[in-house]
Amino acid sequence: QQNELNSFLWTIKRDPPSYFFGTIHVPYTRVWDFIPENSKKAFQQSHIVYFELDLTDPYTISALTSCQLLPQGENLQDVLPRDIYSRLKRHLEYVKLMMPSWMTPDQRGKGLYADYLFNAIAGNWERKRPVWVMLMVNSLTEVDIKSRGVPVLDLYLAQEAERLRKQTGAVEKVEEQCHPLNGLNFSQV
């Protein structure tokens, strides 16, 4: 039953009440039907909504992209063991080959091309830090490719907040997410 689901919604008792809602970074269509009505109602009634990051801000997206890169002059081939780099390269060639068959007719109807999608996800992969390449590879599956073009839950809620003219903000800066990940050593990654 919808009303019995764990809502990941906490109420901060004040007047007016505040809410804290835990989201997940997956296409919203995978989870939307499982978000209880009390969470959706709290969102609808809210006038101000804060997110982890402001995914509607071009600076945020640009800073996220920049923080993933290795220092100037370094390439992934320089930092990965040769065998891992070769396996990664072969895997990405396989994904690029398979991607046209993984795409949905709806994606094609919206003008998405497999080469464009591959480059949007994996472009410049040889300049990325290993931790970001690992996250990228984890998202290069048939299921994830089929859902490309559908915003993740955070972005969907941010877009809805803007559409509903709610005041929005972010509780973190890109650097607060990037530096810890970039600080992992190779064996941790």
Side-chain angles (χ1 to χ4, degrees):
Q1 288 288 346
Q2 176 80 341
N3 59 2
E4 294 174 8
L5 294 173
N6 181 348
S7 67
F8 301 102
L9 179 74
W10 288 266
T11 303
I12 301 166
K13 293 183 177 160
R14 56 183 296 271
D15 188 23
S18 290
Y19 302 99
F20 186 80
F21 179 67
T23 59
I24 184 168
H25 299 284
V26 298
Y28 84 95
T29 52
R30 286 195 200 165
V31 295
W32 191 251
D33 291 343
F34 302 100
I35 295 175
E37 288 305 318
N38 67 336
S39 300
K40 293 176 181 177
K41 185 177 177 184
F43 177 79
Q44 288 295 325
Q45 292 176 346
S46 296
H47 300 288
I48 304 170
V49 184
Y50 279 82
F51 298 94
E52 183 178 12
L53 291 173
D54 183 356
L55 298 177
T56 64
D57 179 12
Y59 168 79
T60 299
I61 304 307
S62 173
L64 273 172
T65 301
S66 294
C67 88
Q68 296 178 18
L69 299 178
L70 288 162
Q72 192 65 34
E74 284 188 33
N75 289 310
L76 198 57
Q77 189 171 2
D78 303 328
V79 297
L80 285 183
R82 182 176 285 131
D83 62 323
I84 293 177
Y85 179 82
S86 296
R87 284 175 47 206
L88 173 62
K89 190 171 182 175
R90 280 194 310 274
H91 179 69
L92 291 175
E93 288 167 357
Y94 162 78
V95 168
K96 189 171 186 172
L97 183 70
M98 295 303 295
M99 198 169 279
S101 67
W102 291 352
M103 292 182 64
T104 66
D106 187 51
Q107 287 171 318
R108 283 188 208 86
K110 291 179 180 172
L112 275 179
Y113 295 96
D115 283 346
Y116 170 81
L117 193 54
F118 180 84
N119 287 329
I121 300 167
N124 210 18
W125 67 270
E126 294 184 84
R127 288 275 303 119
K128 290 185 179 183
R129 294 172 185 267
V131 67
W132 298 100
V133 172
M134 177 194 67
L135 294 170
M136 176 196 74
V137 167
N138 287 340
S139 72
L140 285 170
T141 65
E142 182 173 359
V143 169
D144 283 337
I145 295 305
K146 285 184 183 312
S147 64
R148 282 292 169 152
V150 176
V152 294
L153 181 59
D154 295 35
L155 179 57
Y156 173 74
L157 290 172
Q159 290 170 336
E160 276 298 290
E162 282 190 349
R163 185 181 69 77
L164 297 169
R165 291 184 165 67
K166 296 177 185 289
Q167 183 180 334
T168 62
V171 296
E172 286 186 8
K173 294 183 168 104
V174 170
E175 298 74 25
E176 293 170 311
Q177 288 205 349
C178 276
H179 293 312
L181 284 174
N182 287 347
L184 296 173
N185 65 42
F186 184 74
S187 65
Q188 291 169 317
V189 174

